[in-house]
Amino acid sequence: MPIKVQSGLPAKAILESEFIFIMDEERAMTQDIRPLQIAILNLMPNKEETETHLLRALSNTPLQLEVTFLAMESRVSKHTAVEHLNKFYKSYREVKEQRFDGLIVTGAPVELMEFEDVDYWQELCNIFEWSKTNVTSTLHICWGAQAGLYYHYGVKKYELPKKISGVYRHHVNDRRIAMLRGFDDYFNAPHSRYTENKKDEIAAVPELEVLAESDEAGVFLVMGQEGKQFFMTGHPEYDRYTLNNEYQRDLGKGINPEIPANYYKNDNPEEKPIFSWRSCANTIYSNWLNYYVYQKTPFDWC
């Protein structure tokens, strides 16, 4: 799929080296079609890495996308250059009068904090409220999923006895749901988090449905309002070495983390990680774009 991004975005060169079709603004202007307008609210500290992960995951469909990256005004990024943010990102204030076919809300390393104590919580609440009327379908990831479940439905998060980190086996609950079309009965996906949502509390909300879960890692994918919202607690967009980089980072901090589960060959961090979730990432993002964004958005929506 051609993804339209701004010329000069660092992720563009990386993805082109992987033979992923990335289209710059000049070429896109010559095509007489309306691309899907996708906003990505990037709450991660290393924004450039997350940009690459998500653009790669969105690339496996013939649909054309135009991506707008959003960053919080109420949070000063310490890990991404101001020049990068000024060139490639917009604020909610700049786009709040626009409509988007899809919105992705990423995770953030604040999950051990109470939601209301996060310095950009009110701004995020404004975006969640705006998404009800200005976005066809929103995909929330990890902490973004927990925040969305809490804001929209009052579903709480709970601290785990220890961090869930690794690649876990999941099972599909209802393959008739279009979001799960093409999935096997069981599939792998990475998790990296300190908190969880409880299935019984989600199941108690009539508008929510748990689509996939893991015996070890718990709830993985939740659908809200028949596809208006999705909440995904894992990270299928992660690349082969993301969990390894997190593990090495925590070692360097003296945290003494556990080795990510089901990740390294022979559970040996000196071995190359086994990439066993690419098909999950390709399928889940393609299904979301096709069945819940493209199929449901009006042509003149934006």
Side-chain angles (χ1 to χ4, degrees), residues 82-143:
V82 173
E83 294 80 8
H84 184 88
L85 293 173
N86 290 340
K87 184 174 183 180
F88 299 114
Y89 279 75
K90 294 183 177 181
S91 67
Y92 162 64
R93 181 169 47 85
E94 293 177 285
V95 303
K96 66 180 181 179
E97 302 304 324
Q98 296 178 228
R99 290 175 172 173
F100 287 88
D101 302 305
L103 168 67
I104 296 174
V105 181
T106 74
V110 294
E111 58 183 299
L112 292 178
M113 299 173 63
E114 295 296 328
F115 291 117
E116 292 82 0
D117 292 337
V118 176
D119 54 10
Y120 51 78
W121 177 247
Q122 186 54 58
E123 186 178 0
L124 182 58
C125 289
N126 293 339
I127 294 172
F128 283 153
E129 190 63 28
W130 166 82
S131 72
K132 293 179 181 180
T133 54
N134 286 56
V135 178
T136 301
S137 182
T138 302
L139 176 61
H140 311 71
I141 303 172
C142 200
W143 182 83

Side-chain angles (χ1 to χ4, degrees), residues 139-162:
L139 176 61
H140 311 71
I141 303 172
C142 200
W143 182 83
Q146 295 178 338
L149 286 168
Y150 179 72
Y151 176 80
H152 291 293
Y153 304 103
V155 176
K156 298 179 180 179
K157 63 179 173 69
Y158 298 89
E159 187 173 347
L160 292 161
K162 62 180 181 179

Side-chain angles (χ1 to χ4, degrees), residues 138-189:
T138 302
L139 176 61
H140 311 71
I141 303 172
C142 200
W143 182 83
Q146 295 178 338
L149 286 168
Y150 179 72
Y151 176 80
H152 291 293
Y153 304 103
V155 176
K156 298 179 180 179
K157 63 179 173 69
Y158 298 89
E159 187 173 347
L160 292 161
K162 62 180 181 179
K163 182 181 182 180
I164 289 180
S165 175
V167 181
Y168 298 91
R169 191 187 196 206
H170 301 74
H171 59 269
V172 169
N173 289 339
D174 187 351
R175 63 177 55 260
R176 294 172 297 179
I177 302 296
M179 189 65 159
L180 299 174
R181 199 161 291 172
F183 273 85
D184 296 322
D185 289 341
Y186 293 91
F187 63 92
N188 291 332

Side-chain angles (χ1 to χ4, degrees), residues 18 26 30 38 47 54 108 118 121 158 198-199 215-216 244 252 259 272 285 293-294 301:
E18 300 174 10
E26 182 178 354
T30 67
I38 305 296
K47 298 194 185 307
L54 288 172
V118 176
W121 177 247
Y158 298 89
K198 296 189 182 297
K199 182 182 177 181
D215 293 339
E216 296 176 278
N244 174 74
I259 296 172
K272 184 177 181 179
Y285 282 92
V293 179
Y294 174 69
W301 169 253

